[in-house]
């Protein structure tokens, strides 16, 4: 036995072997034990290495700055964090959030802000202050607020400068001078023999001040009036006209009813209130009264056992719905300046979109008394109506966040005026309309402010608008749109609108067909506000929890106005027999091939909110959405003093979860369209939806027995579909090519040595060498050539400065333009700093610029699609509306009519020849659009 083995035997303290052969035989066992020890040691080293690597990885994730924005851009989805995490003095928070939403609502909904009032101007300045604070706009303490008279050089420069080369963040107020009215003397009386009044209506609402202190405080000072209703004193017999729709008036005339000299009484619902007055006026009536009928409140009625607000969720019988009676389907905006802005010195017309006869809104209590007067056993006495008013100007607040691309602008807007707040005292407080929308908009602005403070800059310029006088007839947005129509046409790629965020439980979304997928996909990516495990998109199926019998006619009118949500397989459990839904209508093209346009579940836009001037007159793709009331929701007291903060917090949206969900949805849409390389406008969806529009026209023609031939229009639509499909391929290829070049350029300019991952990998290699797992890699021979030097051409500033160097591709095309001249002058320094990496760059930059221009050209074609339906001649009989693809229905107001010229020629004019002529107009527009988007 060797000397080395003997100590080993002694160390083991084993008994002496019986013989030498036995000791030698024990050696394999000893070697095996040593091998096991070595293997265990190696495994321990490996475990230690992995644990160290994992710990280091977790440390990197934990210590890396969390407020730095990513520098990459996806195809349609935005990787900008939304909601945005912010640092709070108390605890981490995110924007949008419920607490700040509630606080904002309580601050805004407890003060009056009707258009043109001092409090309304204060609300304009409040929004101005929000923009200045969140957008980081310095406001000198002694300087006057940037309030400009519309048409002045300052006002013009503010908007037109938003797309200038040196544009900066800005906020201001534009003041317009339209015709607005406020109530003065008003009376409604039943006259006895000799003309003396024997009964006077209670025109004001009555509120209980303990359960709803805001309503109780202001109810006595609430004049009930109609915006833009003329002053007048009239008297006549009452005629009940049901909903005051065209078909209601036609049926009464066919029954022999004479409207001349009468005062019409109609219930709200079905169509825009101004068209009820228009129908009465055209038939010879001298006045009009409109009331809220409890039959239209669905299941939440006193007859079903529900107590009236504020004691329960049913209608307060004294509630009054105020609102404008402008003929909105003729044209919106200032009645006296159609098609041009209402400057202080503008030439005025008489106003063709406002009534000649006075009207008043009344409560159910008042209406019930009048209906008894003309009902069976009633005396049918003469009724006297008195209405007088005053007028004043208003202000619209605007803000700009410049993007890297100056000539592409996204506008997002919400109106803040409340039709129902009085001149110097409070009127209807508007906790839902418009404050719920304003609250969500505030949250979006706060979120954008948090992003800006983290170093974010949008790819496209964003304009934020707080419209005024929407309640009088979309006046603020329309006047601004008419003021800057050429600028909007040239630069604005999309308009995102928000009116009211929450008045009930069901999500209703409407948009141009090209934006439908953006709208629906954003909703799918946001959690349901109240039901875990579901998405916001599925809230379009939600209904209120209050049930009972429903008036059949009211249900029919409600479904006709709002429709039934299209069900999708994902809305049901797999075992549900309703899991399969039929989508779209089936027809054949000119070759007999079936065509089908799958519905997106997103409705068409008619009118009734501030997207109208953008879509219907200029041709800007637009969207709108929010939670609305259903027939089983607590009654929403629209434009009433009971639209209060107390109602909103108790019944409308307890906890403000829906307010925040709407803010998340609006913000996500905005980020995705502002930061996408290729605009997320789905023109092919639009092109195939046109088949559905034509299907409806053919159905109407067939039902009415007209012999029409729309095959030429169908053929044009098919050509547009093919052109759009080719554009789809082009925009995808253009983006793919740009991404590829940008990634290549990024590597050339920065090298892999600056990636934090390579630093970590080097450290891990070094750690591995300690355990005998390999050696340090050599890396690029130029790796540390410029280390520690101040390179003049690092990453672009304002790209969301980050330690992560995965390129945010979308920012580079615009940034290249801004930096091109600067980079040329730095070529000598760059050559010194970048060595062999620089020599291929000039050629690559040219390729990048060409690729960026290719993407921009594709984007121009996408924007041109909606513009392609604009006709300078406009829609027949209401030429202010220029979109021949969709318009507010002639006798609907709110509701959309697709292919309005053709449709209304068949429905109202009963003229097949006129319908064919209108189809020819459409055909010419579509053929021209095909040429415009061809690739």
């Amino acid at each position: 036995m060797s000397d080395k083995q003997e100590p080993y035997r002694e160390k083991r303290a084993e008994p002496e072997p019986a013989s030498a052969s036995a000791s030698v035989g024990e050696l394999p066992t000893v070697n095996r034990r040593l091998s096991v020890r070595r293997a265990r040691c190696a495994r321990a080293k490996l475990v230690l290495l992995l644990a160290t690597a994992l710990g280091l990885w977790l440390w990197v994730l934990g210590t890396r700055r969390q407020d730095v924005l990513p520098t990459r851009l996806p195809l349609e989805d935005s990787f900008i964090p939304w909601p945005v995490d912010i640092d709070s003095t108390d605890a981490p928070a995110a924007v949008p959030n419920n607490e700040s939403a509630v606080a904002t609502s309580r601050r805004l909904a407890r003060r009056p802000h009707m258009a043109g009032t001092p409090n309304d101007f204060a609300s304009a300045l409040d929004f101005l202050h929000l923009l200045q604070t969140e957008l980081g706009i310095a406001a000198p303490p002694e300087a006057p607020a940037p309030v400009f008279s519309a048409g002045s050089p300052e006002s013009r420069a503010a908007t037109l400068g938003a797309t200038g080369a040196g544009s900066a963040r800005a906020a201001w107020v534009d003041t317009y001078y339209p015709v607005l009215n406020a109530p003065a003397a008003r009376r409604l009386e039943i006259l006895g023999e000799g003309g003396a009044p024997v009964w006077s209506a209670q025109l004001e609402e009555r509120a209980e001040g303990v359960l709803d202190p805001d309503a109780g405080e202001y109810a006595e000072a609430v004049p009930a009036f109609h915006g833009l209703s003329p002053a007048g004193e009239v008297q006549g017999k009452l005629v009940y006209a049901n909903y005051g729709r065209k078909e209601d008036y036609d049926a009464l005339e066919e029954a022999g009813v004479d409207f001349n000299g009468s005062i019409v009484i109609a219930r709200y619902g079905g169509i825009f209130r101004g068209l009820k007055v228009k129908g009465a006026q055209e038939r010879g009536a001298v006045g009009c009264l409109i009331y809220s009928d409890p039959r239209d409140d669905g299941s939440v009625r006193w007859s079903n056992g529900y107590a009236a607000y504020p004691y329960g969720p049913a209608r307060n019988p004294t509630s009054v719905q105020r609102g404008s009676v402008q003929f909105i389907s003729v044209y919106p905006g200032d009645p006296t300046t159609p098609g041009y802005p209402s400057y202080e010195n503008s030439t005025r017309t008489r106003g063709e979109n406002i009534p000649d006869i006075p009207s008043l809104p009344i409560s159910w209590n008042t209406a019930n008394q009048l209906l008894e007067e003309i009902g069976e056993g009633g005396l049918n006495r003469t009724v006297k109506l008195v209405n007088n008013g005053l007028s004043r100007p208003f202000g619209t607040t605007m803000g700009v966040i410049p993007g890297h691309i100056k000539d592409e602008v996204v506008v997002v807007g919400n109106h803040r005026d409340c039709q129902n707040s009085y001149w110097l005292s409070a009127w209807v407080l508007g906790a839902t309309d418009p404050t719920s929308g304003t609250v969500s908009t505030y949250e979006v602005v706060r979120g954008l402010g948090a992003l800006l403070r983290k170093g974010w800059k949008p790819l496209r310029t964003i304009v934020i608008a707080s419209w005024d006088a929407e309640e009088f007839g979309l006046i603020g947005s329309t006047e601004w749109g008419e003021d800057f129509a050429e600028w909007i046409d040239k630069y604005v790629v999309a308009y995102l609108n928000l009116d009211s965020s929450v008045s009930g439980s069901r999500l209703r979304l409407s948009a141009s067909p090209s934006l439908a997928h953006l709208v629906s996909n954003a909703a799918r990516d946001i959690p349901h506000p109240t039901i875990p495990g579901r998405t916001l998109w599925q809230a379009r199926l939600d209904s209120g929890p209050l049930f009972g019998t429903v008036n059949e006619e009211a249900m029919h009118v409600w479904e006709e106005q709002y429709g039934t949500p299209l069900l999708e397989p994902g809305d049901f459990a797999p075992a549900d027999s309703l899991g399969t839904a039929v989508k779209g209508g089936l027809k054949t093209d000119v070759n007999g091939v079936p065509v089908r346009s799958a519905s997106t579940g997103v409705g068409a836009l008619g009118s009734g909110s501030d997207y109208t001037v953008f879509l219907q007159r200029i041709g800007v793709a637009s969207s709108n959405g929010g939670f609305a009331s259903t027939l089983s929701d607590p009654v929403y007291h629209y434009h009433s003093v009971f639209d209060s903060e107390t109602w909103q917090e108790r019944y409308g949206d307890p906890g403000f979860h829906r307010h925040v969900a709407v803010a998340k949805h609006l913000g996500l849409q905005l980020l995705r369209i502002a930061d996408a390389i290729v605009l997320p406008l789905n023109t092919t969806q639009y092109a195939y939806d046109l088949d559905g529009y034509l299907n409806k026209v053919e159905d109407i023609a067939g039902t009415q027995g007209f012999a029409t031939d729309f095959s030429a229009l169908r053929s044009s639509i098919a050509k547009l579909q093919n052109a759009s499909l080719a554009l789809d391929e082009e925009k995808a290829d253009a983006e793919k090519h740009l991404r590829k070049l940008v990634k290549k350029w990024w590597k050339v300019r920065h090298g892999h040595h600056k990636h934090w991952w390579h630093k970590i990998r080097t450290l891990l290699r070094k750690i591995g060498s300690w355990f005998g797992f390999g050696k340090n890699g050599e890396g690029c021979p130029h790796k540390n050539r410029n280390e520690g030097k101040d390179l003049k051409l690092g990453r672009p500033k304002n790209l969301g400065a980050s330690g992560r160097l995965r390129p945010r591709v979308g920012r580079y095309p615009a940034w290249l333009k801004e930096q091109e001249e600067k980079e040329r002058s730095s070529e000598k320094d760059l050559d010194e700093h970048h060595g062999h990496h620089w020599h291929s760059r000039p050629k690559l930059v040219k390729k990048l610029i060409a690729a960026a221009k290719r993407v921009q050209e594709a984007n121009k074609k996408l924007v041109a699609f909606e513009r392609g339906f604009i006709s300078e001649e406009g829609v027949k009989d209401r030429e202010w509306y220029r979109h021949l693809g969709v318009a507010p229905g002639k006798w609907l107001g709110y509701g959309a009519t697709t292919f309005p010229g053709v449709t209304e020629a068949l429905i109202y004019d009963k003229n097949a020849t006129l319908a064919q002529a209108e189809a020819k107009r459409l055909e010419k527009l579509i053929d021209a659009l095909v040429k415009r988007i061809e690739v």
Side-chain angles (χ1 to χ4, degrees):
M1 187 174 291
S2 68
D3 293 338
K4 292 181 180 180
Q5 290 172 326
E6 190 63 32
Y8 173 79
R9 289 182 60 196
E10 291 177 356
K11 185 176 181 180
R12 296 286 294 172
E14 294 179 355
E16 290 292 327
S19 63
S21 60
S23 298
V24 173
E26 201 176 62
L27 286 176
T29 302
V30 172
N31 290 335
R32 282 196 299 272
R33 289 173 178 171
L34 288 173
S35 298
V36 171
R37 279 191 168 190
R38 291 191 186 101
R40 287 175 177 172
C41 182
R43 284 196 296 270
K45 288 182 178 181
L46 179 60
V47 170
L48 182 58
L49 173 63
L50 294 175
T52 304
L54 178 60
L56 183 60
W57 177 257
L58 293 175
W59 174 79
V60 169
L61 293 179
T63 58
R64 191 175 56 183
R65 287 186 57 184
Q66 297 300 311
D67 61 343
V68 170
L69 301 184
T71 56
R72 62 176 177 163
L73 189 70
L75 287 171
E76 178 173 310
D77 297 341
S78 171
F79 280 80
I80 296 295
W82 188 262
V84 190
D85 291 329
I86 59 173
D87 296 325
S88 172
T89 55
D90 301 321
V95 180
N97 70 66
N98 299 51
E99 290 75 15
S100 60
V102 171
T104 301
S105 183
R106 289 176 177 175
R107 180 168 58 85
L108 297 179
R110 287 175 172 164
R111 67 180 186 185
H113 43 277
M114 187 174 78
T117 65
N119 280 338
D120 174 59
F121 185 70
S123 73
L125 296 181
D126 185 88
F127 196 81
L128 175 68
H129 177 71
L130 173 78
L131 293 174
Q132 291 173 332
T133 301
E134 295 298 338
L135 305 188
I137 301 169
E142 302 301 325
V147 179
F148 309 134
S149 177
S152 67
E154 295 83 1
S155 173
R156 301 291 298 171
T159 292
L160 300 180
T163 47
S167 60
R169 299 175 199 169
W172 68 95
V173 177
D174 282 326
T175 302
Y176 289 90
Y177 299 86
V179 171
L180 302 178
N181 67 315
R186 301 152 300 107
R187 296 196 311 276
L188 181 60
E189 301 167 333
I190 296 176
L191 304 180
E193 294 182 6
V198 295
W199 175 85
S200 294
Q202 173 65 53
L203 296 179
E204 293 79 15
E205 294 163 302
R206 295 298 186 192
E208 197 278 332
V210 176
L211 297 179
D212 191 338
D214 294 328
E217 181 177 356
Y218 298 118
E220 291 297 326
V222 176
F225 85 110
H226 277 148
L228 299 179
S229 177
E233 181 174 321
V234 297
Q235 60 186 39
K237 299 291 186 179
L238 287 175
V239 174
Y240 175 67
N242 199 22
Y243 288 103
R245 299 167 297 182
K246 185 179 185 301
E247 55 264 40
D248 292 322
Y249 286 120
D250 289 345
L252 288 170
E253 284 188 318
E254 289 176 7
V257 174
D258 183 8
F259 287 93
N260 285 305
S262 69
I263 294 178
V264 168
I265 180 170
R267 60 203 270 203
Y268 278 110
I271 64 172
F272 184 69
R273 70 184 73 81
L275 299 182
K276 300 174 189 287
V277 180
K278 185 174 187 287
Q281 174 180 303
E282 291 182 350
R283 287 161 177 81
V286 296
C288 187
L289 303 170
I290 313 178
Y291 72 97
S292 298
D293 196 311
R295 289 177 294 175
D296 295 303
D297 293 333
S299 60
V300 190
R301 295 182 288 159
W302 317 306
S303 59
N304 286 333
Y306 295 105
Y309 184 81
Y311 303 101
R315 176 174 301 280
N316 185 300
T318 72
S319 66
V320 178
Q321 181 194 136
R322 301 155 186 81
S324 172
V325 288
Q326 179 190 72
F327 303 161
I328 198 169
S329 59
V330 177
Y331 64 88
D334 179 8
T336 65
T337 60
Y340 57 96
S342 54
Y343 297 157
E344 191 169 13
N345 59 350
S346 290
T347 301
R348 306 284 171 169
T349 68
R350 176 186 171 278
E352 300 298 327
N353 69 336
I354 52 177
D356 293 326
I357 63 173
S359 64
L360 281 176
I362 59 176
S363 69
W364 165 247
N365 277 355
T366 297
N368 191 44
Q369 179 71 31
L370 296 175
L371 292 174
E372 289 180 358
E373 181 71 20
I374 60 175
E376 185 177 352
L379 299 179
N380 194 21
R381 291 168 288 189
T382 298
V383 171
K384 183 176 182 179
L385 185 163
V386 177
N387 182 56
N388 290 301
L390 305 167
S391 62
R392 60 282 174 109
F394 70 86
T396 285
T397 307
M398 311 295 296
V400 174
I401 304 175
H404 291 282
I405 297 178
K406 306 299 183 184
D407 58 356
E408 294 180 4
V409 178
V410 184
V411 181
V412 58
N414 160 257
H415 80 92
R416 70 173 190 284
D417 69 294
C418 179
Q419 164 77 37
N420 307 309
S421 49
Y422 190 39
W423 190 294
L424 292 174
S425 62
W427 220 9
V428 171
L429 303 165
T432 293
D433 185 13
T435 299
S436 65
T438 304
V439 166
S440 297
T441 303
Y442 267 60
E443 291 301 294
V444 171
V445 173
R446 292 179 65 237
L448 294 176
L451 290 174
L452 290 169
R453 288 188 289 274
K454 292 173 182 286
W456 169 76
K457 182 177 181 179
L459 178 60
R460 294 177 178 85
T461 293
I462 295 173
V463 170
I464 304 165
S466 176
W467 308 117
D468 206 347
E470 189 269 358
E471 295 294 356
F472 280 86
L474 321 181
I475 294 179
S477 57
T478 300
E479 298 312 303
W480 188 83
E482 292 174 339
D483 199 358
F484 297 100
E486 292 182 4
W487 182 87
I488 294 170
D489 182 47
K490 185 175 182 179
Y491 295 115
V492 176
V493 300
Y495 174 68
L496 308 179
N497 187 67
L498 179 59
D499 198 307
S500 300
S501 287
V502 185
S503 63
S505 61
R506 178 166 294 178
L507 181 69
R508 291 204 187 106
L509 300 173
S510 301
S512 300
S514 57
L515 282 176
H517 286 279
L518 173 73
V519 169
S520 61
N521 288 340
R524 287 183 173 93
D525 291 338
I526 295 171
H528 192 288
T530 58
I531 305 176
R534 293 176 70 82
T535 67
L536 178 62
W537 175 247
Q538 291 173 307
R540 76 194 191 285
L541 306 175
D542 291 356
S543 294
L546 309 175
F547 299 100
T549 59
V550 178
N551 179 269
E552 185 175 347
E553 183 185 20
M555 176 180 287
H556 174 73
V557 170
W558 188 88
E559 290 179 346
E560 191 176 62
Q561 183 173 357
Y562 298 111
T564 302
L566 181 72
L567 304 180
E568 296 180 353
D571 297 325
F572 301 94
D576 199 316
S577 61
L578 297 177
T580 302
V582 177
K583 299 181 179 183
L586 186 63
K587 290 281 184 178
T588 59
D589 63 16
V590 291
N591 300 315
V593 178
V595 294
R596 179 182 293 277
S597 174
S599 173
T600 58
V602 176
L605 289 169
S607 187
S609 198
D610 291 304
Y611 53 79
T612 302
V613 69
F614 291 93
L615 174 64
Q616 313 287 3
R617 185 166 178 83
I618 304 174
V620 177
S622 304
S623 71
N624 187 52
F627 282 89
S629 183
T630 69
L631 294 176
S632 57
D633 275 305
V635 173
Y636 164 44
H637 295 79
Y638 183 43
H639 288 182
S640 160
V641 75
F642 303 110
D643 180 11
S644 64
E645 184 66 19
T646 298
W647 182 90
Q648 185 64 258
E649 293 189 25
R650 186 187 305 170
Y651 292 115
D653 187 19
F656 276 49
H657 304 292
R658 295 188 180 102
H659 284 71
V660 171
V662 170
K664 291 177 181 178
H665 186 242
L666 179 63
L668 194 54
Q669 291 178 75
L670 177 59
L671 290 175
R672 287 181 174 179
I673 199 166
D675 275 343
I677 300 174
V678 172
L679 287 166
L681 297 174
N682 191 329
T683 58
T684 300
Q685 174 68 51
Y686 204 147
Y688 278 92
D689 277 0
L690 298 179
D691 271 324
Y693 297 174
L694 187 52
N695 293 347
K696 293 179 182 178
V697 168
E698 290 178 338
D699 289 343
I700 292 170
T703 300
Q704 298 193 358
F706 291 119
T708 54
D709 180 9
F710 298 114
S711 59
L713 179 55
R714 181 80 70 181
S715 178
S716 293
I717 291 172
K719 293 175 185 176
L720 184 62
Q721 292 166 353
N722 291 332
S724 182
L725 288 169
L727 179 58
D728 285 345
E729 294 181 6
E730 166 60 15
K731 70 184 184 183
D733 290 343
E735 180 172 4
K736 182 179 179 181
H737 182 56
L738 178 61
R739 286 181 179 277
K740 181 179 179 180
L741 289 175
V742 167
K743 290 177 182 177
K744 181 178 180 181
W745 182 64
W746 186 270
K747 292 177 181 178
V748 168
R749 291 206 37 241
H750 294 275
H752 65 270
H753 62 284
K754 286 191 177 288
H755 286 259
W756 64 270
W757 166 246
H758 287 277
K759 295 181 180 181
I760 297 299
R761 186 170 66 180
T762 300
L763 183 55
L764 290 177
R765 285 175 177 170
K766 187 169 291 187
I767 294 172
S769 69
W770 299 342
F771 296 97
F773 293 106
K775 300 179 180 180
N776 292 335
E778 293 297 323
C780 174
H782 301 273
K783 178 176 179 179
N784 297 314
R785 176 169 180 162
N786 301 307
E787 196 167 316
K789 295 183 180 181
D790 181 19
L791 300 184
K792 293 188 178 181
L793 192 63
R795 79 171 66 201
K797 294 181 181 179
N798 296 322
L799 289 186
S802 171
R804 303 157 147 188
L805 300 186
R806 291 187 66 182
R808 184 148 198 242
V809 179
R811 306 251 173 116
Y812 277 85
W815 184 79
L816 277 171
K817 294 181 179 179
E818 298 173 2
Q819 298 296 318
E820 192 175 7
E821 292 298 326
K822 190 184 298 182
E823 291 169 359
R824 286 175 184 161
S825 65
S826 304
E827 187 168 322
K828 183 178 178 181
D829 292 332
L830 288 167
D831 186 55
E832 175 187 346
H833 290 311
H834 283 267
H836 75 287
H837 291 308
W838 168 247
H839 296 302
S840 63
R841 187 179 175 282
K843 184 177 180 181
L844 185 55
V845 167
K846 291 180 181 179
K847 290 182 178 179
L848 270 169
I849 293 174
K853 288 181 178 178
R854 182 184 176 190
V855 168
Q856 279 195 317
E857 184 59 30
N859 282 335
K860 288 179 181 179
K861 293 178 186 297
L862 294 172
V863 172
F865 198 94
E866 193 80 61
R867 304 283 204 277
F869 292 95
I870 296 299
S871 165
E872 290 300 318
E873 293 78 20
V875 177
K876 179 180 175 292
D877 297 333
R878 44 211 181 103
E879 289 73 17
W880 186 94
Y881 291 98
R882 294 177 174 176
H883 201 299
L884 299 192
V886 65
K890 186 175 184 178
W891 284 101
L892 294 176
Y894 290 127
T897 295
T898 53
F899 287 176
V902 187
T903 300
E904 291 170 356
L906 294 171
I907 294 178
Y908 300 126
D909 296 303
K910 309 292 185 182
N911 190 328
T913 302
L914 178 59
Q916 294 282 180
E918 290 293 329
K920 191 66 178 178
R921 292 179 66 200
L922 259 175
E923 184 185 334
K924 290 180 179 178
L925 282 181
I926 292 174
D927 288 344
L929 179 55
V930 169
K931 293 180 180 179
R932 175 65 184 86
I933 68 170
E934 279 180 344
V935 295

